[in-house]
Amino acid sequence: MTDGHSSPAHEAAPASTGDNTAAPVPADVRAHGDHHTPSHPQGLKEQDSAERLTPRPTFMEHLVASRDAQFHLDRRDSSELDRYFHGPRDMEKHSKWPIFMRMHGSVTPKMILPMIWIAGWSTAITCISKYLHDLSIDNILLTVLGFVVGLALSFRSSTAYERWADGRKYWSQLIQTSRNLARTIWINTGEREGDLGKEDLLRKLSAMNLILSFAVSLKHKLRFEPDIAYEDLAGLAGHLDTFARDAHDRSVITPRRKSLWKSAGEYLGVSFAESNPRKLIKRSKKPLGHLPLEILNHLSTYIDSCVANGTLVSTLHQGQAITLMSTLNEILTGTERVLDTPLPTAYSIAIAQISWIYVLVLPFQLYGALKWVTIPASMVAAYIILGLATIGSEIENPFGQDVNDLPLDTYCRQIAIELDIITATPRPNVDDFMTRADNLVLFPLSQSGYDEWKDRSVEDIRGALRAKVVASPAALGSDGSTVVPSITTQTKQSV
């Protein structure tokens, strides 16, 4: 689990339903494991006997194997340029370049074509005004239109960043809730004696996997990835009876490779090259369900079973677990609200039109004062105005695959690592860490351990606590001298 993918605790198990019958396996997965049938009866008997003796790959093994193969193929064939401009930034990497010279995360690639167009347009207006007819107009429009464009871009940027910040708040809340729920399950849920204790331990680990699978499935849902066979999800939730499992489509997780023109068009921000992010959902021929919500149902069932078998007996912890489950549902609803409520289309179209009108009118207003300098001046102004509009459009959906989107993979990996830390050791015993001889209960005033202070009276302990305040660094003057040297020295000597 430490890398956000499946670990030994996440290994696939045979899928089964509640009535102990084999869960339905999609036809393409069944066909993947079929063999050619011999024509004679003896061959049929030998093959049937061999198939009974040889364990057939489970459903999730097919999912993980197919996805891992495609993942390594993509990593091997993808270029450095593709990894540089595609996908959220890696927060663990640090660049020493000055910030104005950095390209990773910049909208400069998407500004190349608009800048070429503005350069040609301003050059044409300048040449016509120079050699044919003066097209310059009064630059009073710079002031009037500039104010309107400023308001439009400010509104666009503020609403887009608000959505980006809301998305980050929800994922921060998801990390916090996952920590609290994991601690409630691992620490506050007991384990029975004997074989039942082993069963309780394995169920705890399964519940931890469900917490992680909720975060991972939410990430895929927010990116319109409806399948369950993704490399970081199949080992966690592939054994659950969900709609996404029944609707598994291998073509979804092994999409066709993009052509050079389409990849270049996406890098340059050409709208005609961009695909509909919901196309995988629209092409599905089976109900896709709601995987994060279904995972919550399974996790809630586990909590109920702990209450029923007496391993979660405290009503306080029971209420806390139910409250945390409700918080996960609120996070799910909140992220869906951010995703499904973009800026109204009328505003988006109007702001784009206002920005382009202002940029296209600039050469007419600048030529009278700048002459040939109109060309670079128009390009600079266009880069500033269109760049701000492009940034607002890019961060409007904070859950996508753009460089400036939230690094959801990093957040899921963080949850996985923290769950591993929680489960790395059994529930601490209070007597084991409280009564240790090296527990310096009055550090830094006293170097005596717990055992030595346990033999003293309550009055001595309380007196030492008071002396700790008197002898603390707060009792020192600004120049480092002791304000009450006699009291401090006497106190330390007594301790």
Side-chain angles (χ1 to χ4, degrees):
M1 196 190 299
T2 54
D3 59 350
H5 309 317
S6 57
S7 64
H10 301 152
E11 290 180 354
S16 62
T17 56
D19 56 356
N20 297 326
T21 58
V25 180
D28 64 331
V29 178
R30 292 198 305 269
H32 183 74
D34 289 344
H35 305 280
H36 295 290
T37 304
S39 57
H40 50 84
Q42 182 64 28
L44 289 174
K45 293 181 180 179
E46 294 176 356
Q47 179 189 6
D48 182 65
S49 176
E51 289 182 350
R52 285 197 302 267
L53 296 176
T54 304
R56 296 175 61 86
T58 63
F59 169 66
M60 288 186 305
E61 287 173 348
H62 281 293
L63 300 185
V64 176
S66 61
R67 180 55 184 172
D68 284 348
Q70 181 64 26
F71 174 72
H72 292 299
L73 178 64
D74 293 341
R75 289 294 300 271
R76 183 178 68 252
D77 295 343
S78 60
S79 64
E80 290 295 331
L81 183 65
D82 180 56
R83 289 196 292 271
Y84 189 80
F85 286 106
H86 182 74
R89 63 187 180 90
D90 186 357
M91 295 189 298
E92 298 178 357
K93 293 185 178 180
H94 173 70
S95 175
K96 295 184 179 180
W97 284 96
I99 191 168
F100 71 93
M101 297 180 63
R102 298 178 188 177
M103 288 292 296
H104 191 55
S106 173
V107 294
T108 300
K110 296 183 178 180
M111 296 295 299
I112 294 177
L113 294 182
M115 295 304 297
I116 293 175
W117 168 255
I118 294 300
W121 172 258
S122 59
T123 301
I125 299 301
T126 302
C127 292
I128 293 175
S129 300
K130 177 69 176 179
Y131 299 110
L132 297 179
H133 179 70
D134 189 0
L135 300 177
S136 62
I137 59 177
D138 194 341
N139 58 11
I140 188 65
L141 287 177
L142 281 173
T143 303
V144 177
L145 296 181
F147 177 74
V148 177
V149 172
L151 288 179
L153 292 179
S154 176
F155 175 74
R156 175 67 168 172
S157 300
S158 61
T159 54
Y161 180 77
E162 182 180 0
R163 291 166 53 82
W164 191 91
D166 284 344
R168 180 63 184 98
K169 290 178 183 177
Y170 283 121
W171 273 88
S172 176
Q173 188 179 9
L174 174 59
I175 295 174
Q176 176 185 356
T177 306
S178 299
R179 292 169 178 168
N180 292 333
L181 184 57
R183 186 176 64 252
T184 300
I185 293 175
W186 190 255
I187 303 298
N188 304 126
T189 303
E191 299 175 10
R192 292 168 290 183
E193 299 293 335
D195 292 339
L196 293 178
K198 183 191 301 183
E199 180 181 346
D200 293 334
L201 177 59
L202 293 177
R203 289 192 176 189
K204 280 185 177 182
L205 293 175
S206 300
M208 294 293 185
N209 292 347
L210 290 180
I211 296 175
L212 178 58
S213 66
F214 174 82
V216 176
S217 63
L218 178 59
K219 176 194 70 174
H220 287 293
K221 180 174 177 57
L222 295 176
R223 291 178 175 176
F224 307 106
E225 297 171 346
D227 209 279
I228 199 174
Y230 301 104
E231 53 165 345
D232 54 352
L233 184 59
L236 298 172
H239 63 287
L240 303 180
D241 184 13
T242 59
F243 284 98
R245 182 180 183 275
D246 295 335
H248 164 62
D249 185 0
R250 183 170 299 176
S251 62
V252 171
I253 60 172
T254 55
R256 292 181 298 176
R257 184 169 297 279
K258 296 179 181 179
S259 64
L260 177 62
W261 297 108
K262 184 174 179 60
S263 299
E266 290 181 349
Y267 292 146
L268 298 177
V270 179
S271 59
F272 297 102
E274 297 177 355
S275 301
N276 182 3
R278 293 177 171 84
K279 64 180 181 179
L280 296 179
I281 299 177
K282 292 184 176 181
R283 293 176 181 176
S284 178
K285 298 179 181 179
K286 296 180 180 180
L288 297 173
H290 196 301
L291 186 55
L293 186 60
E294 295 175 83
I295 291 176
L296 279 183
N297 292 340
H298 289 80
L299 191 55
S300 180
T301 303
Y302 167 75
I303 298 297
D304 290 342
S305 67
C306 292
V307 175
N309 61 26
T311 54
L312 187 60
V313 296
S314 174
T315 55
L316 176 62
H317 296 147
Q318 294 174 6
Q320 184 181 25
I322 298 301
T323 301
L324 293 173
M325 297 287 296
S326 300
T327 303
L328 291 178
N329 191 34
E330 292 175 2
I331 295 171
L332 173 59
T333 305
T335 52
E336 290 177 338
R337 175 184 62 82
V338 173
L339 181 67
D340 298 332
T341 315
L343 188 68
T345 306
Y347 276 111
S348 299
I349 295 175
I351 292 173
Q353 291 174 342
I354 291 173
S355 301
W356 272 100
I357 290 174
Y358 182 80
V359 170
L360 294 177
V361 173
L362 271 178
F364 297 95
Q365 303 176 77
L366 298 179
Y367 177 77
L370 302 180
K371 303 304 179 183
W372 287 106
V373 184
T374 300
I375 300 174
S378 298
M379 295 180 63
V380 171
Y383 183 85
I384 295 173
I385 295 172
L386 298 180
L388 292 175
T390 303
I391 292 174
S393 176
E394 182 168 330
I395 68 175
E396 187 177 25
N397 175 17
F399 308 124
Q401 295 283 4
D402 295 329
V403 177
N404 290 294
D405 289 333
L406 295 174
L408 303 187
D409 294 319
T410 302
Y411 299 154
C412 292
R413 186 161 55 249
Q414 177 183 349
I415 295 175
I417 293 175
E418 291 174 351
L419 294 183
D420 282 345
I421 293 174
I422 293 175
T423 58
T425 56
R427 179 172 61 178
N429 189 340
V430 177
D431 295 333
D432 292 340
F433 64 89
M434 284 292 187
T435 61
R436 290 174 59 96
D438 54 353
N439 177 18
L440 306 181
V441 293
L442 286 175
F443 180 85
L445 179 66
S446 172
Q447 298 296 323
S448 300
Y450 181 93
D451 293 338
E452 298 182 30
W453 280 102
K454 184 176 64 174
D455 296 333
R456 301 192 183 187
S457 64
V458 176
E459 289 75 12
D460 291 341
I461 297 176
R462 295 193 181 278
L465 291 175
R466 180 176 179 82
K468 186 178 180 181
V469 176
V470 177
S472 65
L476 299 178
S478 59
D479 60 349
S481 59
T482 305
V483 178
V484 283
S486 60
I487 299 178
T488 304
T489 304
Q490 181 180 1
T491 301
K492 288 188 175 182
Q493 289 177 353
S494 64
V495 173

